[in-house]
Structures are given as C-alpha cells and as structure tokens.
Amino acid sequence: MIDTTTALELVLLHGSMSTKVLEVDLKDGLDYVLAKDVISEIDMPPFRQSAMDGYALHIGDDVTYSMVGEVKAGDNNNPTLHKGEAVRIFTGAPVPVTANTVVMQEKVTVDGNKISIEESPKENTNIRLQGEQIKVGGVAINKGTTIKGVHIGFLASLGVTKITVCEKPSIAIVVTGNELVSPGDKLSYGEIYESNGAMLTAVLKELGYKNTSVVTIKDDYDKTKKVLKDTLGKHDVVIVTGGVSVGDYDFVGKAINAIGVQEIFYKVKQKPGKPLFFGKKEGTSIFGLPGNPAAALSCFYIYVYPLLKKYEGAEHMNLPAISLPLLFDYTVKGTQAQFLKARIEGAGVTILGGQSSAMVRAFGDANALVCLPRNSAEIKKGQNVKTILLPTK
Amino acid sequence: MIDTTTALELVLLHGSMSTKVLEVDLKDGLDYVLAKDVISEIDMPPFRQSAMDGYALHIGDDVTYSMVGEVKAGDNNNPTLHKGEAVRIFTGAPVPVTANTVVMQEKVTVDGNKISIEESPKENTNIRLQGEQIKVGGVAINKGTTIKGVHIGFLASLGVTKITVCEKPSIAIVVTGNELVSPGDKLSYGEIYESNGAMLTAVLKELGYKNTSVVTIKDDYDKTKKVLKDTLGKHDVVIVTGGVSVGDYDFVGKAINAIGVQEIFYKVKQKPGKPLFFGKKEGTSIFGLPGNPAAALSCFYIYVYPLLKKYEGAEHMNLPAISLPLLFDYTVKGTQAQFLKARIEGAGVTILGGQSSAMVRAFGDANALVCLPRNSAEIKKGQNVKTILLPTK
C-alpha cells in the first residue's frame, strides 16, 4: 500500500499525453489547453490611446490652450499640435503624435476656441502607451494554459480568431454491479440506482470534458473481460467504478489482470478510496475508483483530474490548493490520510458533516476538500489545513 | 453617485425573475436552478446495506458462527439467521433482516462451514441503515439550488430522471464604438479589435448561460436607438459595453433615455466601473458596463452575475465571498471602493499587478476579486480582506 503523494506522482509519471493538436475557433476554445504559445501579432494598445474624455495637449508655458481639432474613438486623423495647442479627445481615441498629455474634461474650462486648465499638466498623463499590455511578437498566453472566458476576451482583443489546442481525451466510465438499476426503472429489494455514470459524466462536462460515454457491466467474468478489453482499445482514459476490491465476486480486478493491464498501483493509504487502482494498457490509463459515489468523486478530483490535465499538456495539473484556518475543531477518525468534503466560508474552512463514503449529498454543499496527512488525530480551530479548491461557479 | 452596496441592492431589488419553468432531463440539468424542491421517492439506501465485504451475523454468545448462506450485491434473497449463525456478505448487499451486525472479512477466520471472529462483535456495525442519507418524502435538493455535477449524481441515486428548473435568461451583449473592428479583419490607425462581445459570451458560457447574442452598433444616434429598442424587446437582459459616459458622442446614453428605459442608477463610487448604468424597461434589465474589458468584467461579476442568478430564482445570488489575509502590503490608489484582480494561493490572497481598467490580461491569472471599501489607503500584509471567489475549474 502506497501513500497519497506517491500515488499522485505515479499517476502523473505514467499518464499519457495527447499527441494530437487541433485548431479551433477562438470562440469554441473554452476549457481547451493551449498546445503552443499564442504570439501577439499586434501591439496592444495598437496606438497611443486616450484613457479619458478630455483634451490632448502639446504642453505650453501657459494654462490656456488654443483648440485646433477633435479626435473621437475610431478616428484615424492625426492633427498636428504646436506648443500651447489642444484637441478635444475621447476615451479610446488615438492621441495625436504631437500631443504629449491628456487632461480630463472635468479639469478644463472651455471658452469659445480657448480652454484653460486648473493646474499645469504633467507629460504622458491619461495616455495608454502603445504596446503597454503586450508588444507585437510577445507571448500573449503560454502553452499549457487552460482557456477561460477572460482569455478568449484577451485573445480577441489581439485579433486572434483561431487557437491551437491539445485534443481532449476520450473517456469511458465503466459502472459495474448486479445491484445497479437505471434511474426510471423499478427498484427491487437489494437493488440501487446507478448514479456514478451520471455523476462522473456531469462532473466531467462541468470541467469541459464532453467526449465521454458510460458502459454498464453486470458481475459476469467473461462479459467483463470482453467489455473492458473493447473499452480500453477505444478510449484514452477508462474510469471503472466499483468492483475493484477483495470481494469474491470482483470480476473487474480479475478481468483487468487477464487482459494484460499493467498495474501501477493498487490500494492507497487514504480515506476514502483505499482500494484505488491505477493501471495502463498501451496508451490508455485505467482507474478503478470505489463504488461509493462520494469516495469515487474524491478520488476523481485528487487523481483523475490531474491525469486528464496531463493528457492535455496543462501547466497546472492539480486543482489549486491553499492553506486555510479550520473554523471548528475536528477529530480525525483513523490514522489514514484523509480527503474531507469542506466548505470555505467566512474566514476559513469548515469540514462538513456526512463524510461517509456513500454520502454524496455533502458534496453538494462542498466547495473544497480538506487534505489531512496520516495520523492527524485532533485538529484545533485556527490551525491551517491544506484545502483543495473544487471547481465553482 | 451611489455606493457599491446600494448599487447591488438596487440591482437585486429591480431585477426581474423568470416566470417560466421547464422540465429537463436530469443529465441536461447542469447549471440550471431548481424551480422546486426535489422530493425523494425512495429511502436511500433503500434497504439495510452492508458497508463491507465480510460476514453478517445474528450475534451469539460465542465467537464461532455457523455459515447458513451468502448474499451478494444485487441479490434479493433474505436468509433467516438464528442466534450464532452467519452469512457471507459483500459490500452493497442487503443485510438479512435477522442479522444484527456485519464483521469485516479481515477479522474472520474461516474453517469449513464455521467462522470465528477475533473479538465479540458490536450490534449494527458496518451496516448502512435504510434511509440513512435520505428518507422517502424528504427534500433531496432545495428549490433555488444551482445544479452541479454532484447533484446530478445524488439525484440519479434517488432514481430521479427529470427536474423542474427555471428558464435561463436570454442575454444580448451590445458592443458600441466606431473604433471596433472584428478579429480577423485588418486594423487601421485608431482602431482596436472588438473583444467584449467574445469575452462576455465566453464568460457567460462558462457559467452555463448559452442563450446569448452579440449586437454591434456604430456611433450613430438613430441606429443606436433603433437597435437598442429592438434588442430590449427581444431579451431578458441587455448588457451594453462602452458608450455610456459623458462623452459628446455617447449615443447610447441618449438612446437609452429616448426609448424610455427607466434609469435605476448611473455612476457608482467604485474603481473600476464608475460610469456603471443600470436600468429597466418592462421586464428587461439593461446594464451599461465600461468599455474597457477588465472594468467590464469586474462589473459583470459584481452586478450582472447576481442579476442573472436572481432571474433564475437562485438561493445564492452573489459569488461566494470569504475573508482572507493579504500576503503583501497594498497601497490603494484613490478613495473609491475598489475591486482588484487577485489570486488566492498559499495561505492568503495577493492583489495582482496590471489593475488598469484596460488590462484584461491580469484577469487570466486571477481567481478572486479583492473588495476594498472606500478610503482604504494602506492595507498591511496579514490584514484580512473581503475576497470574492471567481468561477474556477
């Protein structure tokens, strides 16, 4: 049995990387990882831009200026100003080459063709310099960045219309168990509704992974072997939930061995998710997650998410982690490393009730996972704990 | 000019609420807000469930038990155990009515048809009680909850296949300015690429709002009036960027008045986004955001996001805010309330460089907005500041 740090290292060591890149329209780029740096083809701003509605001046010796024109946003005129001359200018308009400052209109008194300013102006005020945000040839966004909405805005401002991204993995979710019934069907004694497939599909979709499918298998060795082999051949990542344990009816574990999956690790010193399995067959990674939904989801965020991000070549593979004070005392059950559903609010983090592996409900209120190392025993209020930020909207 | 608190209160007071609900397949429910409580139609678990692979016992006086059967997950048999009898049982299987505890297999020695246990067992161990997560008739998820992936998992486990949600708003993004050129076209002197439309569309999509369209208008009064009137009639929320300021060529402000939009407020004591406009016409809300992308985006998260959530009847309308220590000293420029792009990392929050309204780039690195009240002046390292969590993945 290995520890959580080793387990994550092994996942990131053995996880494959996509070799395919694709070019997508910028507007469709959300959630993709950039396969190469985006280089700016323009200076941004592309010209000296007025940051204010006001007056552009060629600074003179006096506080009075003669008006010699006007420049609006979108104008391409470039009036010549001599010392002591001014033009009316608006936010976003190009500042004439011969102007050396902009004064906001609130500080100016207009009298016919003359203006006077409250105080003597300083050079280069209220002007956004050409290339101040980025210069032509500069790296706008680095390779490995996962594209967010704001990146799309920034790239659009540079005139970018297409970006080169890594192909996303094709992911199969394999749910196993004779006890599983599809929602909508009638439940008999001993049966439960299958929910891991729906949950992982939805969580993956939230994260931008839409190339997913759910495969259901009953507890039958030959069928399990056939379906697993077939699924591994067709997908980049296979997530099995349930069935990988010591039970006599664990057909999944036996089938995984029989079809030649290389075991990277099985069992991790953690709670939940002790019987976590990770293996590889050719380029395909296979996870065996616990069948209990809450345990499966914790393992997904801690181990599967980084693998997916590695596959895409992302710079940041783990979910972001911060250190926050616990708002209430917490007594740890057992000696294992723990991943606990938690809520960041107020001035710290609270570990939620309902931590049992089967209880997915508490995850609905969680926006974080608190990670406690082995043998944590008693954590006092105010003590800082490692807190993984779950995706939020 | 009003303060930020009043502005947000007015937005939430005047924002309309959707009157339409729709029933969607659970799998398509992501990001919708529940229009009514989801009531569980089953107990969860639906029966007494073994939490372990092991042995179910009818506790006897001795540590030795006679084996009388086996129950696997998915089995619907219910063997009768007398005192001192045991059945083999697996995780998720129904615990026979006549069994009163489950012992994990690691603590059991098997000898033919007899098993012996290390220590005398306690009642009701390793059993998940029927209805432990939720009982039939109980509220599974409250009205007003924005559906996340994990909720879909939880509802699927209860057999839910459809949910009733509020219709999402139809949103128009109106971009104005003669200086704007579409990405892909050639930029002439004085022109910039239009990016607010692409940015807000992408940010809205990230948040699950896909019913959006971008309308571009040049600085022409009659056209602006016609297009705005038309757009207001067709959408629930209209977001105008740029043009709502004191500039002589502010056709948007004039058009908004002319077509009978009721001004709720114009100008807020804040930086960025001082010239923020909010108004209403019939059921449609209209925002005038700054033209600068970074300023527009800050105002979007602080004011537009809560309006959209109110429209959908969400319980939590604002982005979550927490209190975190600043990791570096920060000197505030000016006396206005500030919304500053920031990054939560380590054991607190850091205000990022590149806070200028035009600089959308820093937003790419931000995962939070730090909110400072008016007259904050100097904030020292270690001092707690209000930190709004931006959506993250």
Side-chain angles (χ1 to χ4, degrees), chain B residues 42-274:
Chain B
I42 62 165
D43 285 338
M44 186 64 205
F47 50 86
R48 286 206 310 162
Q49 214 176 29
S50 178
M52 290 283 167
D53 288 338
Y55 295 84
L57 315 178
H58 184 150
I59 298 176
D61 305 320
D62 193 6
V63 292
T64 309
Y65 288 79
S66 308
M67 291 289 292
V68 296
E70 178 186 272
V71 193
K72 307 192 294 292
D75 283 355
N76 63 4
N77 57 334
N78 190 355
T80 303
L81 287 78
H82 301 98
K83 209 169 163 180
E85 289 181 343
V87 294
R88 181 86 172 102
I89 199 161
F90 297 92
T91 307
V95 176
V97 172
T98 46
N100 52 11
T101 202
V102 170
V103 179
M104 62 195 295
Q105 61 194 14
E106 288 81 353
K107 296 192 172 167
V108 169
T109 313
V110 185
D111 181 12
N113 205 32
K114 297 273 177 194
I115 60 166
S116 21
I117 316 163
E118 284 172 19
E119 53 200 53
S120 56
K122 279 184 217 145
E123 263 192 54
N124 281 322
T125 306
N126 299 321
I127 294 175
R128 296 183 204 129
L129 299 178
Q130 181 170 338
E132 178 181 275
Q133 276 208 64
I134 188 167
K135 290 195 169 44
V136 58
V139 176
I141 308 186
N142 288 92
K143 173 183 172 173
T145 303
T146 302
I147 295 294
K148 299 192 286 189
V150 64
H151 293 126
I152 290 180
F154 181 52
L155 292 179
S157 80
L158 304 179
V160 171
T161 56
K162 303 254 183 197
I163 51 174
T164 306
V165 298
C166 294
E167 194 179 53
K168 290 192 165 283
S170 159
I171 306 166
I173 302 150
V174 178
V175 296
T176 66
N178 278 342
E179 72 278 25
L180 302 178
V181 169
S182 293
D185 291 350
K186 211 188 129 28
L187 213 57
S188 302
Y189 176 73
E191 295 175 337
I192 58 168
Y193 287 116
E194 198 295 293
S195 64
N196 279 332
M199 178 181 74
L200 290 173
T201 301
V203 167
L204 284 162
K205 190 174 162 191
E206 265 182 325
L207 295 167
Y209 300 100
K210 291 168 191 162
N211 187 3
T212 57
S213 51
V214 177
V215 180
T216 309
I217 40 182
K218 293 282 171 188
D219 294 337
D220 170 289
Y221 177 64
D222 289 325
K223 228 171 183 171
T224 301
K225 213 167 72 173
K226 189 184 168 309
V227 172
L228 270 184
K229 194 176 175 188
D230 188 47
T231 306
L232 279 160
K234 282 187 192 154
H235 299 275
D236 304 306
V237 179
V238 174
I239 306 170
V240 183
T241 74
V244 186
S245 73
V246 288
D248 296 2
Y249 295 91
D250 168 22
F251 296 117
V252 180
K254 289 178 197 122
I256 282 175
N257 287 331
I259 60 175
V261 169
Q262 178 198 357
E263 177 183 314
I264 308 294
F265 63 77
Y266 174 45
K267 293 197 174 172
V268 180
K269 291 175 194 157
Q270 64 184 7
K271 190 182 166 188
K274 193 179 82 173

Side-chain angles (χ1 to χ4, degrees), chain B residues 335-384:
Chain B
T335 58
Q336 304 287 49
Q338 312 254 331
F339 299 109
L340 299 160
K341 288 153 264 180
R343 185 152 186 90
I344 301 172
E345 59 189 345
V349 62
T350 303
I351 294 170
L352 299 170
Q355 293 292 340
S356 143
S357 298
M359 296 247 190
V360 76
R361 198 177 187 180
F363 246 121
D365 299 322
N367 58 12
L369 286 175
V370 163
C371 309
L372 302 178
R374 300 194 72 196
N375 304 312
S376 288
E378 181 83 21
I379 316 268
K380 288 288 176 195
K381 176 183 165 179
Q383 197 176 322
N384 271 36

Side-chain angles (χ1 to χ4, degrees), chain A residues 2 6-18 236-237 262-265 278-287 306-308 310-311 317:
Chain A
I2 58 174
T6 309
L8 184 55
E9 279 169 10
L10 287 169
V11 166
L12 292 180
L13 179 67
H14 290 278
S16 307
M17 286 184 70
S18 169
D236 304 307
V237 179
Q262 179 198 355
E263 177 182 314
I264 307 294
F265 64 77
F278 177 61
K280 273 192 80 171
K281 191 181 183 205
E282 285 136 32
T284 302
S285 300
I286 176 165
F287 280 99
L307 178 104
L308 300 176
K310 183 193 173 186
Y311 183 88
M317 292 181 279

Side-chain angles (χ1 to χ4, degrees), chain A residues 181-305:
Chain A
V181 169
S182 294
D185 290 351
K186 208 187 133 26
L187 214 56
S188 301
Y189 176 70
E191 295 176 337
I192 57 168
Y193 287 115
E194 198 296 292
S195 64
N196 279 331
M199 179 182 72
L200 290 172
T201 301
V203 167
L204 284 162
K205 189 174 163 192
E206 265 183 325
L207 294 166
Y209 299 100
K210 291 170 192 161
N211 187 3
T212 57
S213 50
V214 177
V215 180
T216 309
I217 41 184
K218 292 283 170 187
D219 293 338
D220 170 289
Y221 177 64
D222 288 325
K223 227 170 184 172
T224 301
K225 214 167 72 173
K226 191 185 167 308
V227 172
L228 269 183
K229 195 177 174 187
D230 187 48
T231 306
L232 278 160
K234 282 187 192 154
H235 299 275
D236 304 307
V237 179
V238 174
I239 306 170
V240 183
T241 74
V244 186
S245 74
V246 287
D248 296 1
Y249 294 90
D250 169 21
F251 297 117
V252 179
K254 290 179 194 120
I256 283 175
N257 288 330
I259 60 175
V261 169
Q262 179 198 355
E263 177 182 314
I264 307 294
F265 64 77
Y266 175 45
K267 293 198 174 171
V268 180
K269 291 174 193 156
Q270 65 184 3
K271 190 181 165 189
K274 194 179 81 172
L276 181 68
F277 173 90
F278 177 61
K280 273 192 80 171
K281 191 181 183 205
E282 285 136 32
T284 302
S285 300
I286 176 165
F287 280 99
L289 302 188
N292 280 322
L297 192 54
S298 292
C299 290
F300 171 84
Y301 284 126
I302 305 291
Y303 300 103
V304 185
Y305 176 88

